[in-house]
């Protein structure tokens, strides 16, 4: 029995290593600027071979704005109609693990800790905003929070580790509201608003990709806004107790405009993407970059050509990130200063994992993993 276990472990490790090398090679090709690529070594993947490969879950009626990938094999999806799906074989098959009482809810965010444990957020006014947690791969769920305040509307959630996390609500009584958990999402409490600066008139978060609230490290968290006179990013270095606000160059001053997603690779380097989500409106200056933890933001020199709702840093890269939206996927290989379109498919959200895998999801049940 010991030998059999050892053999299986070695085989699994070998397969994962090979998969990681293949995906890593694909990501390496993506990050080489076209003007600098030059001749590629024999047998190396070429840019035309690197693509989003569909991992069809068979749910064309669902729009997936919530996505959490654990690794190359395991990913969770959250979407319309109270839908939660999970794969444990790289998207070959998907299991419907939706909470049975959630059919009328809009799931917009999901945080997965591993193959069995996950937290999902339903958005909406009043009691439509809820949080569920599972510890058995979605076989059973516990409703751990139901919003009692009709003035609150929760947009997204983010975790620092397996225990500590936050959820973001649009402003209540003039300030953004923050919900906190210290036990992995099993219980929640509203944080005091004393350390939160006043919201601008019309300012709110966007529940577009589960990335309007993001973390880096054990204590730093950022939230993205739009709709007000300026699109802002607010930062907290103490898990949401006190916040500072900084304006970004991303256009706002309209309920459909602002920063829709953030991605930080560490506590100082981040990118912001957004624009105007209306398909008939242009989105100039749809991306910005920070190198000081969000205290200041500079516009991208060459931003994505249209509205983008999701962003993610490529694994183990200091300069490469992806942005996605209804009209395509863009790549930056210089830390967010310049972007180029690498795919024209529609996706709402994107995430990458430490084992060199990237996943995307969006409307009409679209789910994909980056392949070569």
């Amino acid at each position: 029995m010991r030998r059999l276990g050892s053999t299986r472990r070695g085989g699994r490790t070998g397969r994962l290593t090979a998969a990681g090398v293949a995906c890593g090679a694909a990501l390496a090709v993506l990050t080489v600027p076209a003007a600098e690529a030059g001749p590629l070594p024999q047998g190396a993947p070429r840019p035309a071979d690197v693509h989003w490969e569909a991992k069809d879950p068979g749910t064309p009626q669902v729009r997936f704005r919530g996505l959490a990938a654990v690794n190359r094999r395991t990913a969770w999806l959250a979407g319309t109609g109270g839908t939660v799906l999970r794969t444990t074989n790289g998207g070959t098959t998907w299991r419907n693990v939706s909470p049975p009482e959630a059919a009328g809810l809009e799931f917009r965010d999901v945080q997965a800790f591993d193959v069995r444990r996950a937290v999902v957020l339903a958005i909406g006014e009043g009691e439509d905003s809820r949080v569920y947690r599972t510890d058995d791969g979605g076989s059973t769920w516990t409703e751990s929070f139901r919003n009692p305040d009709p003035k609150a509307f929760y947009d997204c959630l983010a975790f620092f580790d397996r225990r500590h996390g936050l959820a973001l609500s649009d402003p209540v009584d003039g300030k953004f509201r923050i919900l906190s958990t210290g036990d992995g999402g099993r219980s929640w409490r509203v944080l005091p608003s004393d350390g939160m600066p006043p919201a601008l008139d019309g300012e709110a978060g966007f529940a577009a990709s589960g990335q309007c609230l993001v973390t880096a490290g054990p204590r730093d968290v950022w939230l993205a806004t739009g709709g007000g006179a300026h699109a802002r990013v607010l930062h907290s270095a103490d898990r949401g107790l006190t916040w500072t606000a900084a304006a970004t160059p991303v256009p706002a001053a309209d309920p459909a405009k602002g920063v829709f997603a953030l991605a930080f690779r560490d506590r100082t380097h981040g990118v912001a993407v957004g624009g105007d989500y209306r398909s008939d409106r242009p989105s100039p200056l749809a991306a910005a970059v920070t190198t000081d933890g969000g205290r200041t933001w500079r516009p991208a020199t060459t931003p994505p050509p249209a509205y983008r709702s999701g962003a993610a840093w490529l694994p183990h890269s200091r300069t490469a990130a992806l942005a996605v939206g209804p009209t395509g996927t863009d790549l930056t290989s210089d830390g967010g200063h310049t972007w180029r379109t690498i795919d024209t498919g529609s996706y709402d959200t994107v995430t990458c994992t430490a084992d060199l895998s990237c996943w995307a999801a969006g409307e009409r049940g679209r789910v994909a993993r980056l392949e070569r």
Side-chain angles (χ1 to χ4, degrees):
M1 292 295 292
R2 181 177 299 173
R3 175 175 295 181
L4 176 61
S6 176
T7 301
R8 292 183 64 188
R9 182 180 301 173
R12 180 175 182 273
T13 301
R15 289 193 299 273
L16 289 177
T17 300
V21 169
C23 193
L27 298 181
V29 171
L30 276 179
T31 60
V32 177
E36 300 175 9
L40 291 172
Q42 184 176 3
R46 298 183 180 276
D49 298 328
V50 180
H51 61 283
W52 287 118
E53 182 174 297
K55 304 294 181 180
D56 184 13
T59 52
Q61 75 282 7
V62 179
R63 187 165 195 166
F64 293 112
R65 295 184 185 269
L67 168 65
V70 177
N71 50 42
R72 185 173 175 80
R73 295 184 59 82
T74 300
W76 298 68
L77 297 167
T80 54
T83 305
V84 180
L85 304 183
R86 186 191 65 156
T87 182
T88 58
N89 56 14
T92 301
T93 59
W94 295 84
R95 179 186 171 200
N96 188 329
V97 295
S98 306
E101 71 278 18
L105 299 178
E106 292 280 334
F107 286 130
R108 294 291 181 93
D109 204 356
V110 55
Q111 170 74 49
F113 305 109
D114 51 40
V115 70
R116 297 180 61 81
R117 292 174 289 183
V119 175
V120 294
L121 170 73
I123 68 158
E125 296 178 348
E127 291 192 353
D128 287 342
S129 285
R130 305 180 195 179
V131 179
Y132 294 83
R133 177 183 166 107
T134 182
D135 290 294
D136 55 13
S139 295
T140 60
W141 293 86
T142 300
E143 181 184 303
S144 59
F145 173 76
R146 182 178 297 202
N147 173 37
D149 191 336
K151 296 181 290 184
F153 186 115
Y154 285 86
D155 299 298
C156 44
L157 56 79
F159 276 75
F160 303 94
D161 51 44
R162 290 174 177 262
R163 294 184 58 81
H164 302 91
L166 304 176
L168 167 69
S169 166
D170 288 339
V172 176
D173 298 329
K175 292 184 177 182
F176 283 96
R177 175 169 288 182
I178 302 296
L179 198 64
S180 174
T181 180
D183 56 11
R186 295 179 178 86
S187 64
W188 298 82
R189 67 184 181 93
V190 175
L191 292 182
S193 63
D194 300 355
M196 177 68 71
L200 304 177
D201 289 342
E203 191 174 28
F206 291 107
S209 61
Q211 295 173 324
C212 63
L213 185 73
V214 299
T215 63
R219 305 190 69 81
D220 287 275
V221 58
W222 297 261
L223 68 88
T225 81
H230 305 284
R232 301 196 299 173
V233 173
L234 279 65
H235 170 239
S236 171
D238 55 12
R239 291 184 181 166
L241 293 177
T242 60
W243 297 80
T244 56
T248 76
V250 177
D254 185 285
K257 296 180 180 179
V259 175
F260 283 71
L262 299 168
F264 275 78
R265 68 171 175 83
D266 54 37
R267 66 190 309 267
T268 58
H269 299 85
V271 294
V273 300
D276 189 326
Y277 71 75
R278 294 169 293 196
S279 59
D280 60 338
R281 304 294 178 91
S283 290
L285 302 176
V289 61
T290 182
T291 57
D292 58 11
R295 288 190 293 272
T296 61
W297 292 85
R298 300 188 304 279
T301 306
T302 305
Y307 156 72
R308 295 294 182 254
S309 56
W313 288 89
L314 268 64
H316 312 299
S317 174
R318 298 178 61 84
T319 58
L322 295 168
V324 299
T327 62
T329 299
D330 304 294
L331 170 78
T332 178
S333 55
D334 58 9
H337 297 284
T338 62
W339 298 81
R340 61 187 174 96
T341 302
I342 60 171
D343 183 87
T344 57
S346 174
Y347 296 102
D348 292 314
T349 187
V350 61
T351 189
C352 296
T353 63
D355 68 342
L356 299 173
S357 68
C358 291
W359 296 74
E363 62 181 343
R364 299 179 182 176
R366 290 171 58 91
V367 185
R369 194 179 65 191
L370 198 67
E371 302 288 355
R372 55 161 293 196

